[in-house]
Amino acid sequence: MPRSLFSSRRRLAGVAVAAAAALLLGACTATTSAEPGASGAAATPTAGDTLRLVLSRQLTNLHPHKGGSPDSQGAVAGSVYEALTRITPDNEVAPSLATEWTQVSDLQWEFTVRTDAVFSDGTPLTTETIAWNFERLLDPEYEGTLGAPLRVYLKSVTAVDEDTLRFDLVDPALDLPGRLWNVYIVDKAFAETHNLDTESLGTGPYQVDELDLENGVTLSLNPHHAGPKPAFEKVRYTVLASEAQRVAAIQAGEADIVLNVEPLSLDQFADSPVYETVLGVGPQPLVLAVNEEKKGTPLADERVRRALNHATDKETIIEGLFQGAVEPLPGSVLYEPYQKENPDLAAYPFDLDKARALLAEAGYADGFELELDVPSGTYVSADLASQAIASQWEEIGVRLRITQTPFPAWIERQYGDAQAGADLVYIMWGGQYRGGYQLFDPFTTDHIQSDVVSPEFDELVRRIQASTDLDAQWELVKQATQLYHDQAHTIFLYPSPFTAVISRAVTWEQRPSRYLYAQEVGRA
């Protein structure tokens, strides 16, 4: 993998377009100023009263118990709500509502909770409220989708006293604090009388003023927040679902931070006095998720899945679309520097002859047609990458029909019946913190978005996540990743490229995970 997570785009700016550069000189994040009397001095950007952040996906809801994509409601929810723990920009677990935690035994933990946290309507947070949130999530009839993974290992959460919570587990969880980072806490009375999809009440630094799921959300400071005061009184998250919209917003100076900009678009901003650009490696893998459950699908045959891996020229896509910022996945969804790699695995080599031979062996020498579903505007260069893969697969007789679906409809289809789903899905999956193996969950059979059939892998993941010995756990991880590689339960592509255009008027400790929390943005 690259030695550095990030590369300065100034080193790659040789193809900057003169016309775009000329246009950019007239654009700024808010206003610009220069030293008085300094003829020819470079403009100094200054931030406005409202922080302007760009999301690339429509919001499907703001429910604190339904999770959320980093470039959609996940960023907003993390600015409005708090959980017991949080994940730092460098993917470490840190305190949030909980100040510390202790593993009492394999099946019991205690968390010490802050006593100064207050909801934005002035209601104090209590340990009883937190315990109620978990009780609700543990109810199999509850709509909160975050409950399903909790119910695998969590038995109950009890308020011991005003600042102590006890977690009793069904199975051990060495990384329990890291599993709780997005289990956001809401007030019980509010939750029972309001629609949490569109109404919110949290203890986080911001509160929601206006919500338009399709176009964005406006936030203002939570007057009762007990933590540090953010730099901006107001925040506007704007949904710009297409690359053209995002680039236009940058050119017009209408955004302070824009993520998910295609690397080929970054060059025009590389020498800007107003913006800096970032191209690096994100912590989550991009794959083509395989629907093995569909009746009559050729993808049920592992020889076909292996053939498609061999038919994918990942290096050409990486060089052509991502400026060489990432490398092919090493035959696994674990990769450095975010996770320890299995040393026994390597990326599937691009080998059309091998691919053709595997298809012939499986009885598909004449090829077949598949549908690939790509969420519109969601992943960096996803449309172009999908088209490249379709062109490559034509060489072995596999015809790839690409469907581009708006994000909310794409999510609904992912959650729906496998028989009505696409054969393949271009998707980014994985974990958010170091040291935990919850990142395997989306690749297991019973995950809400997964259509894989791999009971052997499921059992290995269960044993990995319940392990109480780190050395034994690593041996299981190697077995699990070897099995997933050999049976090719996914089409391994590459790490998610992390791209950003950031105003020089603001400061932001970059999160390659793409969670753009408003409270983490300061003034330069």
Side-chain angles (χ1 to χ4, degrees):
M1 297 302 299
R3 290 175 180 243
S4 174
L5 295 184
F6 305 105
S7 61
S8 168
R9 300 294 301 145
R10 290 180 182 80
R11 289 179 288 172
L12 302 173
V15 295
V17 180
L23 175 62
L24 184 61
L25 292 177
C28 60
T29 301
T31 60
T32 60
S33 61
E35 291 293 331
S39 177
T44 303
T46 57
D49 295 331
T50 299
L51 175 64
R52 299 164 306 167
L53 306 175
V54 170
L55 301 174
S56 60
R57 288 176 163 179
Q58 293 180 23
L59 287 73
T60 56
N61 59 72
L62 277 185
H63 202 299
H65 296 160
K66 290 184 179 179
S69 301
D71 39 18
S72 182
Q73 64 263 25
V76 181
S79 301
V80 173
Y81 290 100
E82 293 177 302
L84 288 174
T85 61
R86 64 185 179 89
I87 304 300
T88 66
D90 60 355
N91 286 2
E92 300 292 348
V93 182
S96 184
L97 289 175
T99 59
E100 59 184 4
W101 42 84
T102 302
Q103 185 175 8
V104 179
S105 67
D106 285 347
L107 297 178
Q108 191 174 92
W109 288 68
E110 287 191 351
F111 286 71
T112 302
V113 179
R114 290 166 39 201
T115 57
D116 61 349
V118 179
F119 290 100
S120 57
D121 68 347
T123 302
L125 173 69
T126 66
T127 51
E128 286 83 1
T129 298
I130 299 174
W132 174 84
N133 275 256
F134 281 96
E135 178 184 349
R136 201 175 204 203
L137 282 161
L138 291 175
D139 180 355
E141 301 300 318
Y142 179 51
E143 63 181 353
T145 53
L146 288 177
L150 289 175
R151 291 192 291 271
V152 172
Y153 64 88
L154 182 58
K155 180 179 180 182
S156 64
V157 178
T158 305
V160 177
D161 53 41
E162 66 176 9
D163 66 352
T164 308
L165 288 167
R166 185 177 67 240
F167 281 68
D168 288 298
L169 310 182
V170 176
D171 285 320
L174 288 177
D175 60 336
L176 177 63
R179 301 186 190 187
L180 305 178
W181 69 273
N182 67 339
V183 182
Y184 293 124
I185 304 302
V186 65
D187 178 62
K188 179 178 184 291
F190 183 88
E192 292 177 334
T193 55
H194 292 75
N195 179 2
L196 293 182
D197 282 345
T198 56
E199 300 174 89
S200 59
L201 181 69
T203 62
Y206 286 99
Q207 59 186 357
V208 174
D209 291 340
E210 298 179 14
L211 172 64
D212 179 340
L213 293 176
E214 184 176 352
N215 296 303
V217 59
T218 301
L219 310 180
S220 63
L221 289 175
N222 171 1
H224 301 286
H225 181 58
K229 182 179 179 180
F232 291 87
E233 298 273 342
K234 293 278 188 179
V235 179
R236 174 63 188 172
Y237 283 98
T238 302
V239 176
L240 298 178
S242 75
E243 174 72 7
Q245 289 176 311
R246 293 191 285 272
V247 170
I250 300 166
Q251 291 173 332
E254 296 174 348
D256 295 306
I257 302 179
V258 183
L259 307 185
N260 288 356
V261 180
E262 292 185 5
L264 296 179
S265 298
L266 292 178
D267 289 328
Q268 62 182 292
F269 305 112
D271 293 321
S272 167
V274 178
Y275 292 104
E276 63 175 312
T277 62
V278 178
L279 172 59
V281 185
Q284 295 172 295
L286 277 161
V287 301
L288 298 187
V290 178
N291 186 348
E292 300 176 30
E293 295 183 325
K294 207 168 187 177
K295 293 179 181 178
T297 178
L299 296 172
D301 191 319
E302 73 174 60
R303 294 169 295 186
V304 170
R305 303 192 299 265
R306 283 159 44 206
L308 297 180
N309 271 286
H310 282 299
T312 308
D313 186 355
K314 299 171 284 292
E315 292 186 355
T316 294
I317 295 173
I318 289 167
E319 290 302 318
L321 298 181
F322 306 141
Q323 304 276 11
V326 298
E327 293 183 1
L329 289 174
S332 167
V333 297
L334 305 182
Y335 58 90
E336 300 286 351
Y338 296 107
Q339 301 95 23
K340 184 179 178 182
E341 295 181 13
N342 182 345
D344 299 327
L345 298 181
Y348 271 86
F350 177 54
D351 189 335
L352 292 177
D353 290 337
K354 179 68 172 176
R356 293 188 187 98
L358 284 166
L359 288 185
E361 182 182 328
Y364 295 102
D366 295 331
F368 45 81
E369 181 175 295
L370 297 172
E371 180 194 5
L372 170 61
D373 199 352
V374 182
S376 299
T378 296
Y379 304 125
V380 172
S381 302
D383 295 347
L384 294 174
S386 299
Q387 293 167 23
I389 293 170
S391 178
Q392 292 167 5
W393 288 6
E394 284 182 4
E395 298 294 321
I396 60 168
V398 176
R399 299 167 296 283
L400 197 56
R401 176 166 49 89
I402 299 174
T403 301
Q404 294 180 325
T405 308
F407 181 64
W410 181 82
I411 279 290
E412 287 184 14
R413 192 179 189 194
Q414 288 295 293
Y415 288 175
D417 182 9
Q419 304 309 314
D423 302 294
L424 299 158
V425 178
Y426 192 104
I427 197 166
M428 182 182 73
W429 271 340
Q432 293 297 333
Y433 62 98
R434 301 178 193 271
Y437 291 104
Q438 300 309 106
L439 60 90
F440 285 143
D441 282 349
F443 299 93
T444 57
T445 303
D446 58 357
H447 188 270
I448 190 171
Q449 286 182 261
S450 173
D451 294 314
V452 166
V453 180
S454 183
E456 297 170 88
F457 182 74
D458 298 343
E459 175 59 19
L460 285 168
V461 170
R462 189 200 67 76
R463 293 172 60 193
I464 288 167
Q465 294 177 350
S467 178
T468 59
D469 179 271
L470 291 177
D471 291 335
Q473 184 183 55
W474 175 240
E475 291 303 314
L476 290 169
V477 168
K478 289 197 292 184
Q479 291 180 43
T481 51
Q482 184 75 59
L483 182 146
Y484 219 80
H485 171 276
D486 294 349
Q487 296 182 354
H489 287 293
T490 195
I491 311 303
F492 299 100
L493 297 179
Y494 26 72
S496 52
F498 172 67
T499 65
V501 177
I502 306 169
S503 167
R504 299 184 188 276
V506 302
T507 60
W508 181 55
E509 186 175 355
Q510 297 157 12
R511 280 184 176 268
S513 64
R514 301 178 299 138
Y515 279 92
L516 186 51
Y517 301 129
Q519 65 270 23
E520 295 183 346
V521 182
R523 295 178 182 271

